Amino acid sequence: TITNQLCDLSVQSNLCLDAYGNFWLLGEDSQDLNEGVYRVNPNTESAELIYDIKEGLNTWGGVPIFPDYAGNIWFSERKESGSNLLYKYDASSQKVLSFPFPVETKKYEYRFVSDWHIDSVSNTIWLATTHGLFTYSINSNKWNSYQHDDSDSLSLSNDMLLSIYTDPRSPEKFVWVGTEGYGLNKFNLETERFTRYTTESGLPNDVIYSIQSDARNNLWIGTNSGLCQFDPQTETSRTYTIEDGLPSNEFNRYEFSRSEEGELYFGTMG
């Protein structure tokens, strides 16, 4: 365990807040250059290195870090060797466990896991990646995956995924997935089939950087051509652009969040 002062730590990822008020992040200590996943205590203003990166990770865009409902912390990324791992910091044992993805990949510009969702009912982690949609069952330690099939119009429209969100009205039935250049996909959990939505369906653009929902159960989608308000029930949409006050029509991957009060935040290129 290595403990450092916050002034020595360079933050390289999104922040994750645990049940005890600690922040988790990917960082590098400017003094000894230790890079890894840190737990930051804002009260003592100290940072503890929890997982030391001994083999290089492809950390462009940061490492996704997120909590589950049991107080554990999960993070994931692709090793430079090509292996993809899902990590779990077990709050009970205070150990880091690893679970290999059932896929090997080549070195890629972006991080392997773009977005995630944890289903508290089934205790399943949903992961939108650069190589399709994956689910990991925490209870059974089993993987499942869904990829694009050229011969099947009801498969994923593309494997390069950027975002994932459960349906605001029927989270037990549908999951929404955004792709890079191939539109929006609605996954039916019962049939395990996908329905595709593109510019031909009324979307402003087929790059779906982010998906969030509002209090009226609309989806808000960040694209390369504005912010799209999409009604999953009527399948109608309205697009907001710089003419409506946006700083840019082009949104950005990984940069979106929803507050406890229901406010939606999106990062743009402008």
Side-chain angles (χ1 to χ4, degrees):
T1 300
I2 300 174
T3 302
N4 304 285
Q5 294 301 310
L6 292 184
C7 60
D8 297 331
L9 196 62
S10 172
V11 179
Q12 301 174 348
S13 74
N14 62 293
L15 299 178
C16 167
L17 184 66
D18 67 21
Y20 304 100
N22 299 305
F23 291 102
W24 293 71
L25 53 89
L26 174 71
E28 182 178 37
D29 181 76
S30 60
Q31 299 295 324
D32 51 29
L33 301 181
N34 282 313
E35 184 181 19
V37 174
Y38 285 82
R39 177 173 56 194
V40 176
N41 187 323
N43 295 320
T44 61
E45 297 187 356
S46 61
E48 181 182 0
L49 180 63
I50 299 297
Y51 182 75
D52 187 10
I53 298 175
K54 295 181 174 61
E55 180 186 356
L57 296 179
N58 178 15
T59 57
W60 190 97
V63 168
I65 306 175
F66 51 96
D68 64 20
Y69 294 93
N72 306 303
I73 302 295
W74 297 80
F75 55 99
S76 173
E77 196 43 276
R78 177 177 55 252
K79 296 280 191 178
E80 292 290 354
S81 62
S83 62
N84 305 283
L85 298 171
L86 179 66
Y87 298 93
K88 172 187 175 183
Y89 172 78
D90 189 281
S92 299
S93 65
Q94 298 187 27
K95 294 181 179 180
V96 175
L97 310 175
S98 63
F99 311 92
F101 278 84
V103 63
E104 293 287 327
T105 63
K106 297 179 180 179
K107 188 174 180 180
Y108 192 70
E109 180 181 2
Y110 301 110
R111 70 190 198 193
F112 179 67
V113 175
S114 301
D115 197 10
W116 62 88
H117 165 72
I118 298 183
D119 184 343
S120 60
V121 177
S122 63
N123 221 18
T124 300
I125 302 177
W126 292 78
L127 299 155
T129 79
T130 58
H131 287 68
L133 179 63
F134 290 82
T135 64
Y136 174 75
S137 172
I138 300 174
N139 295 335
S140 64
N141 191 29
K142 290 185 178 179
W143 288 97
N144 201 358
S145 65
Y146 305 90
Q147 277 80 29
H148 171 71
D149 183 347
D150 286 334
S151 63
D152 186 359
S153 62
L154 296 178
S155 68
L156 260 178
S157 60
N158 188 259
D159 289 336
M160 180 65 186
L161 306 183
L162 299 176
S163 49
I164 186 169
Y165 202 86
T166 54
D167 188 84
R169 285 190 178 90
S170 304
E172 76 286 354
K173 293 183 179 180
F174 305 110
V175 173
W176 295 86
V177 183
T179 71
E180 185 170 43
Y182 292 85
L184 181 68
N185 289 241
K186 180 172 70 173
F187 180 63
N188 187 313
L189 276 72
E190 295 178 358
T191 64
E192 297 194 333
R193 311 304 282 164
F194 293 86
T195 303
R196 304 173 183 179
Y197 302 84
T198 64
T199 52
E200 295 180 357
S201 312
L203 297 182
N205 186 263
D206 287 333
V207 176
I208 312 297
Y209 287 123
S210 51
I211 309 170
Q212 300 190 77
S213 69
D214 62 22
R216 297 182 177 87
N217 295 322
N218 295 303
L219 296 180
W220 289 82
I221 302 168
T223 76
N224 265 341
S225 301
L227 181 62
C228 177
Q229 179 186 357
F230 181 82
D231 187 332
Q233 202 164 30
T234 63
E235 298 185 349
T236 57
S237 62
R238 175 183 176 182
T239 302
Y240 298 84
T241 65
I242 55 175
E243 297 179 356
D244 299 295
L246 288 176
S248 171
N249 287 339
E250 183 177 354
F251 284 71
N252 207 356
R253 69 189 73 209
Y254 317 141
E255 298 178 0
F256 50 93
S257 181
R258 176 177 173 171
S259 71
E260 293 182 355
E261 293 76 23
E263 297 172 316
L264 306 181
Y265 296 87
F266 299 87
T268 68
M269 296 299 289

